[in-house]
Amino acid sequence: MTIAQVIVDVPSLGTDKVFDYRIPKKWDGMIQPGMRVAVPFGPRSIQGFVIRLIDHTDIGKIKDIIQPLDLTPVLNEELLQLGDWMARETISYKVSVFHAMLPVAMKAKYEKMIRKKDGAPLLLEELLKNKQEISWKEAEKRNLLPALYKEIQSGNAEVIYFVKDRARKKLKRVVEPIVRKDEMEEMLQALPSNAFNQKKLVYHLLKSNQGMIEAADLAKKAEVPASTIKALIKKGVLSEHMVEEYRDPYEHKNFERTSPLPLTKEQQAAMKPILHSIEHQSHETFLLYGVTGSGKTEVYLQAIQEVIKQGKEAIVLVPEIALTPQMVERFKGRFGSDVAVLHSRLSIGEQYDEWRKIQKKEVKVVVGARSAVFAPFEHLGIIIIDEEHESSYKQEEIPRYHAREVAIKRGEYHRCPVILGSATPSLESFARAQKGVYHLLTLSKRMNDRGMPPVSVVDMREELRGGNRSMFSTELFEKIKDRLQKEEQTVLFLNRRGHSTFIMCRDCGYVMQCPHCDISMTYHRSSSEMKCHYCGFQTGVPTECPECSSNHIRYFGMGTQKVEEELVKLLPEARIVRMDVDTTTRKGAHERILEHFQSGKADILLGTQMIAKGLDFPNITLVGVLSADTMLHLPDFRAAEKTFQLLTQVSGRAGRHELLGEVVVQTYTPEHYSIQLAAMQDYQRFYNEEMSMRKIGSYPPFYYLALVTVIHEDLLQAVTVTEKISNFLKSNVSREAILLGPVASPIPKINNRYRYQCLIKYKREPNLFSALRKILEHYNPQASRDGLSITIDINPYNMM
């Protein structure tokens, strides 16, 4: 008797306990670890993941598996082990981790088809009664699944997921001749003279010696109507069937093939230890610290080329969807159809097709956002994380993993190098490199020995004193006009979308707040609405103050919409494109905006942080930062680090090619070290300064953090539970740990739910993780009963 140990898909159960199920005789030898199965659980049938197979169990009466949901494992042995580790490290349930590893399409409701592969032997045709595919339900009814399983194992068939409503397979109608050439010639003679189109089609088939072809293409080539093809199908000359076609998000794009570039001395020195690690199949984590424009991407490309030569595979992670088009172009240009792309702006169907290309070993390289780290490769040769300092590598929903840690874990398993690349590495990574935990590689010069662009810091307080109330300093405005005359391009950066940060009554000081959150609402001029950027609530713009009925309502602060409006007024001749969340909601919007700018159809690119990184355009000679203070005063210990990184990255967009560049940074706090050192592009001094601040405050990288947030619609309940959790944790951690709280979160209410938290700073706490898991298990029944929500974030990136 074979027994499957299954993790059932009931996160509210609050346990990672495995349940034993007997494998019925007909499924014996078929069910494998990593497959999903339907199992009885109480009165219902639910999905579960098979973790392992065992020979006997101590449980007296066990139920049978209802049926397999896959015929091949969707998670391989490595991903199952990785899921175990992630569940422990992120205090999550294994079922949540396994779901995070799969494409969205596989979590939807779907039908499954089993399809014969081209050129497969006759046995399969007998099973399928001369059809190309059979539905899973029909195969089950006719008891064909065990036989078809063997065919799948021998590579003659495959399972296709046909996802209802979400990711339908893209099908095309194909036809192929099923009679011999001599029979076709006889038919040509026998056809009546008025069957002109049929004769034309048969003659075309004879002449072109056509095999399988799309029906529409055949009609076009033979210059006959579609009805002629149907007539020949009826006469048994052609057979027709539907075949699947991969959705290719880049089918209309031609990628110009590129060749490896000669490496500079610094690049060669950086490549040497990476190549050594690849050749000797040894795991090492490299921190590639290279200034903006120093050629990090060429190092990535040549390292991957070496990996592919060895028959292995590569994962490349990029932080922003906006970066993906340029990265995709570089990688597809070098490796062609060997590249799959995974990110959230692809349709569910496109994501699923790209994932299947990886699973079926049809590609060697994956370029994608955070979740691409789970690409189901089995022979990984390298993992690269570009802009490794980016906070978007940390997932904010369960499981709250960091892609960097997952990549390093996978690198250990596959004994392959992991490269973390950045011009402004995170303090944690740079500190590890200083300690020798990571191997530091440095690229200190730009390609072609170009100098870094000079940065001018403008004190906006002085501008105000001088009577300039505009959002542009005199210096920046003059330089924008100069670039327009020279027909060079400008990038303007402001990390705030919308029109105005808030609206306020000048008589009584009333600020319009979101009714569901403790946060002011943002004015969006284009839609003439007030929007909450936290819960999505929208409402009209008041014409008079709701508190005192005054009509002295004024708009304060500025967002990208307001800047665009102002630019149109001041420089009507300038062609402006705006790139923020509001202008890029549509599929393909990122590519369209960037292509428009690259082709020189716009003079000014105005945007939020999505334009700060990775963009490489030859004609950009001026970068303007409209307000360097946006992030500096947030209640977050990483505020200075994020400001420094963003300013350095955005400055790096200027003067990357032949033309010299300049940067103008506008700020109300020019004396702050993060702004001064970003202007000097001095990472080492910033690192030293910030490390001393972190040491004083007992923050990473000197301490680890764990943040427990309690959310409930009743304020008293939220406070009470947070107090109980704080007391429990105090009794389970050592005196070295620092426990702060309970205290209200920086944004105390979101979506009508109050938020309280406690923060633990620790170095080595062997009991902490088990105590945190106990908290989750204790409160989980209450959570599903009365809406209490407890989130535990290990090493959080979002402190708000």
Side-chain angles (χ1 to χ4, degrees):
M1 177 171 74
T2 313
I3 287 141
Q5 295 202 304
V6 177
I7 290 267
V8 292
D9 193 357
V10 189
S12 64
L13 196 66
T15 178
D16 271 336
K17 185 182 162 208
V18 289
F19 292 85
D20 294 353
Y21 289 93
R22 186 175 34 235
I23 299 173
K25 271 265 183 293
K26 62 177 176 176
W27 309 124
D28 219 3
M30 275 178 61
I31 307 260
Q32 295 171 42
M35 281 183 179
R36 293 168 305 168
V37 288
V39 292
F41 195 79
R44 58 199 168 133
S45 152
I46 60 167
Q47 174 183 287
F49 289 85
V50 177
I51 300 299
R52 66 186 75 82
L53 303 178
I54 53 174
D55 294 327
H56 71 280
T57 178
D58 300 331
I59 296 159
K61 194 181 172 189
I62 65 168
K63 293 175 178 177
D64 284 0
I65 280 174
I66 298 169
Q67 63 167 35
L69 297 176
D70 305 300
L71 280 185
T72 50
V74 290
L75 297 173
N76 58 34
E77 180 54 39
E78 182 222 348
L79 290 178
L80 286 172
Q81 283 184 31
L82 185 71
D84 254 15
W85 171 83
M86 275 177 67
R88 282 196 307 277
E89 292 298 306
T90 62
I91 323 282
S92 309
Y93 296 120
K94 283 180 196 167
V95 74
S96 309
V97 175
F98 294 150
H99 278 311
M101 293 177 172
L102 296 176
V104 178
M106 297 188 78
K107 301 165 209 169
K109 288 185 177 172
Y110 48 77
E111 286 168 8
K112 283 173 296 196
M113 305 296 282
I114 298 157
R115 175 171 307 135
K116 163 186 177 290
K117 285 190 179 172
D118 289 341
L122 261 174
L123 162 71
L124 195 59
E125 297 202 5
E126 287 163 24
L127 289 172
L128 300 181
K129 294 275 186 290
N130 291 320
K131 288 194 291 188
Q132 293 294 309
E133 62 182 24
I134 183 171
S135 78
W136 183 286
K137 281 179 187 166
E138 193 187 333
E140 219 178 339
K141 211 185 284 177
R142 288 169 50 193
N143 206 19
L144 294 177
L145 282 178
L148 288 168
Y149 170 73
K150 285 177 186 155
E151 296 295 339
I152 287 165
Q153 293 303 98
S154 56
N156 294 329
E158 60 179 333
V159 179
I160 305 289
Y161 292 83
F162 183 72
V163 184
K164 295 176 189 171
D165 306 326
R166 309 205 66 184
R168 297 189 175 279
K169 288 176 304 174
K170 192 175 181 187
L171 299 173
K172 63 179 177 184
R173 190 165 141 256
V174 296
V175 291
E176 63 181 324
I178 47 174
V179 294
R180 295 193 312 273
K181 210 170 181 180
D182 56 339
E183 289 177 291
M184 227 184 272
E185 281 166 351
E186 281 171 28
M187 187 185 176
L188 192 60
Q189 301 301 321
L191 279 167
S193 58
N194 63 350
F196 178 72
N197 281 330
Q198 288 186 34
K199 279 190 162 188
K200 201 175 172 184
L201 182 53
V202 174
Y203 181 70
H204 173 82
L205 290 167
L206 278 166
K207 195 177 70 172
S208 62
N209 207 8
Q210 195 77 57
M212 191 185 284
I213 182 171
E214 197 170 343
D217 280 358
L218 179 59
K220 204 174 182 181
K221 283 177 183 169
E223 296 176 348
V224 296
S227 57
T228 312
I229 293 172
K230 284 180 184 161
L232 289 195
I233 291 166
K234 274 183 189 166
K235 288 182 176 173
V237 178
L238 297 171
S239 76
E240 76 163 333
H241 38 261
M242 303 301 281
V243 299
E244 185 186 9
E245 185 179 31
Y246 279 139
R247 283 158 278 234
D248 181 1
Y250 300 97
E251 64 185 332
H252 302 302
K253 220 169 157 45
N254 286 323
F255 293 99
E256 209 176 301
R257 284 316 284 257
T258 63
S259 308
L261 302 170
L263 298 178
T264 64
K265 279 185 181 164
E266 278 195 327
Q267 284 174 318
Q268 285 170 6
M271 279 295 283
K272 210 173 170 185
I274 296 169
L275 294 177
H276 182 271
S277 173
I278 292 167
E279 271 165 44
H280 292 81
Q281 296 188 5
S282 61
H283 165 66
E284 199 165 348
T285 303
F286 296 98
L287 177 62
L288 181 60
Y289 162 48
V291 298
T292 53
S294 58
K296 294 186 287 293
T297 308
E298 190 58 35
V299 172
Y300 303 157
L301 289 164
Q302 295 198 21
I304 290 171
Q305 205 152 9
E306 198 53 45
V307 163
I308 292 174
K309 250 189 233 168
Q310 293 194 7
K312 294 196 167 179
E313 300 134 346
I315 292 174
V316 183
L317 300 186
V318 289
E320 291 273 357
I321 296 162
L323 275 188
T324 321
Q326 275 207 322
M327 270 300 198
V328 169
E329 198 153 314
R330 285 173 187 175
F331 282 84
K332 288 239 185 206
R334 194 66 61 90
F335 305 116
S337 58
D338 266 341
V339 179
V341 180
L342 284 176
H343 62 76
S344 60
R345 286 291 167 93
L346 298 180
S347 72
I348 290 169
E350 285 167 348
Q351 283 180 52
Y352 170 54
D353 286 354
E354 294 287 294
W355 183 83
R356 278 189 45 235
K357 281 185 204 168
I358 303 161
Q359 204 197 26
K360 290 163 80 177
K361 301 180 174 57
E362 292 173 9
V363 292
K364 292 279 184 195
V365 182
V366 168
V367 177
R370 180 179 60 229
S371 61
V373 76
F374 301 119
F377 282 140
E378 291 182 356
H379 305 289
L380 262 175
I382 195 165
I383 303 174
I384 293 164
I385 301 186
D386 190 35
E387 312 290 3
E388 69 85 33
H389 62 275
E390 274 295 314
S391 55
S392 58
Y393 287 126
K394 170 79 192 230
Q395 171 145 311
E396 294 299 335
E397 301 89 44
I398 295 168
R400 292 179 170 80
Y401 67 90
H402 196 298
R404 180 178 57 219
E405 311 309 324
V406 176
I408 291 168
K409 192 71 185 168
R410 289 198 77 179
E412 285 169 10
Y413 182 92
H414 289 278
R415 298 204 303 280
C416 73
V418 173
I419 303 178
L420 311 174
S422 177
T424 52
S426 65
L427 256 71
E428 290 90 328
S429 293
F430 204 73
R432 283 173 192 167
Q434 298 289 332
K435 273 187 165 183
V437 179
Y438 296 166
H439 186 149
L440 181 64
L441 309 170
T442 308
L443 301 176
S444 61
K445 294 190 186 85
R446 279 187 152 188
M447 299 289 281
N448 314 327
D449 279 335
R450 281 242 153 267
M452 297 304 285
V455 180
S456 161
V457 177
V458 179
D459 185 347
M460 292 302 278
R461 296 170 301 190
E462 290 301 320
E463 292 285 316
L464 269 175
R465 286 185 198 115
N468 178 10
R469 297 197 170 276
S470 157
M471 56 185 72
F472 304 106
S473 60
T474 312
E475 183 181 347
L476 178 58
F477 190 65
E478 288 306 317
K479 284 181 175 167
I480 294 171
K481 284 202 300 193
D482 175 54
R483 292 318 185 273
L484 286 172
Q485 280 169 358
K486 289 180 181 168
E487 294 186 353
E488 293 170 2
Q489 289 176 307
T490 300
V491 166
L492 293 179
F493 169 78
L494 173 66
N495 204 15
R496 184 179 283 136
R497 64 193 173 100
H499 183 277
S500 302
T501 323
F502 60 94
I503 64 168
M504 188 173 91
C505 169
R506 282 209 156 163
D507 286 351
C508 72
Y510 167 82
V511 173
M512 191 168 183
Q513 299 270 99
C514 171
H516 311 294
C517 311
D518 275 346
I519 197 91
S520 61
M521 295 180 76
T522 305
Y523 171 50
H524 285 246
R525 174 102 178 228
S526 57
S527 57
S528 193
E529 281 177 320
M530 301 298 297
K531 290 184 185 178
C532 172
H533 288 178
Y534 282 84
C535 74
F537 175 76
Q538 300 177 3
T539 184
V541 183
T543 51
E544 57 177 46
C545 173
E547 293 280 307
C548 72
S549 302
S550 157
N551 55 9
H552 292 153
I553 298 271
R554 291 291 176 270
Y555 302 95
F556 287 86
M558 60 176 171
T560 44
Q561 282 182 25
K562 192 172 183 179
V563 176
E564 184 181 25
E565 222 171 78
E566 194 74 7
L567 276 171
V568 171
K569 271 187 219 160
L570 296 170
L571 300 166
E573 73 279 16
R575 297 165 301 165
I576 303 155
V577 281
R578 189 176 101 231
M579 192 165 176
D580 54 28
V581 173
D582 300 317
T583 61
T584 55
T585 46
R586 280 205 155 150
K587 193 173 171 243
H590 291 94
E591 288 97 321
R592 282 193 297 277
I593 292 171
L594 292 177
E595 274 170 22
H596 189 76
F597 188 65
Q598 187 169 16
S599 61
K601 289 175 189 164
D603 307 304
I604 299 171
L605 172 64
L606 162 67
T608 54
Q609 65 181 25
M610 55 176 71
I611 65 163
K613 300 165 281 283
L615 302 183
D616 189 357
F617 297 141
N619 206 28
I620 297 173
T621 59
L622 175 63
V623 168
V625 178
L626 296 178
S627 172
D629 318 287
T630 333
M631 296 166 71
L632 200 52
H633 308 301
L634 292 176
D636 179 352
F637 70 89
R638 287 192 181 91
E641 183 186 7
K642 286 175 181 172
T643 300
F644 176 85
Q645 287 166 343
L646 214 46
L647 292 179
T648 308
Q649 293 285 345
V650 81
S651 303
R653 299 313 109 215
R656 291 170 74 92
H657 293 263
E658 298 309 310
L659 299 167
L660 292 170
E662 272 185 289
V663 182
V664 177
V665 175
Q666 298 184 167
T667 174
Y668 288 92
T669 42
E671 64 285 348
H672 196 283
Y673 65 91
S674 68
I675 290 170
Q676 286 185 346
L677 296 172
M680 295 176 194
Q681 301 267 331
D682 192 338
Y683 178 80
Q684 189 65 54
R685 266 181 67 194
F686 172 77
Y687 171 78
N688 296 338
E689 185 88 31
E690 184 66 8
M691 283 291 273
S692 59
M693 302 293 280
R694 298 279 181 96
K695 194 169 189 178
I696 293 164
S698 308
Y699 280 111
F702 297 98
Y703 279 77
Y704 294 112
L705 300 181
L707 181 69
V708 182
T709 308
V710 177
I711 305 166
H712 199 274
E713 54 194 28
D714 175 21
L715 175 62
L716 191 63
Q717 177 79 328
V719 176
T720 309
V721 171
T722 316
E723 272 176 355
K724 283 179 182 171
I725 289 171
S726 297
N727 292 334
F728 175 72
L729 287 171
K730 269 175 198 153
S731 60
N732 277 275
V733 293
S734 67
R735 284 183 179 178
E736 279 72 57
I738 302 163
L739 209 140
L740 306 174
V743 64
S745 297
I747 300 173
K749 187 174 80 167
I750 293 179
N751 223 347
N752 291 326
R753 289 159 66 78
Y754 292 94
R755 306 165 79 244
Y756 261 69
Q757 62 186 40
C758 59
L759 183 71
I760 306 106
K761 301 177 182 180
Y762 64 98
K763 288 195 173 180
R764 272 173 294 277
E765 290 297 326
N767 300 329
L768 178 64
F769 278 41
S770 60
L772 290 169
R773 192 163 272 282
K774 274 178 194 162
I775 289 166
L776 268 193
E777 284 171 8
H778 175 77
Y779 284 105
N780 215 35
Q782 187 183 345
S784 50
R785 199 173 56 243
D786 77 350
L788 176 77
S789 169
I790 292 173
T791 64
I792 295 173
D793 198 353
I794 305 298
N795 296 319
Y797 267 64
N798 182 4
M799 303 299 290
M800 303 295 280

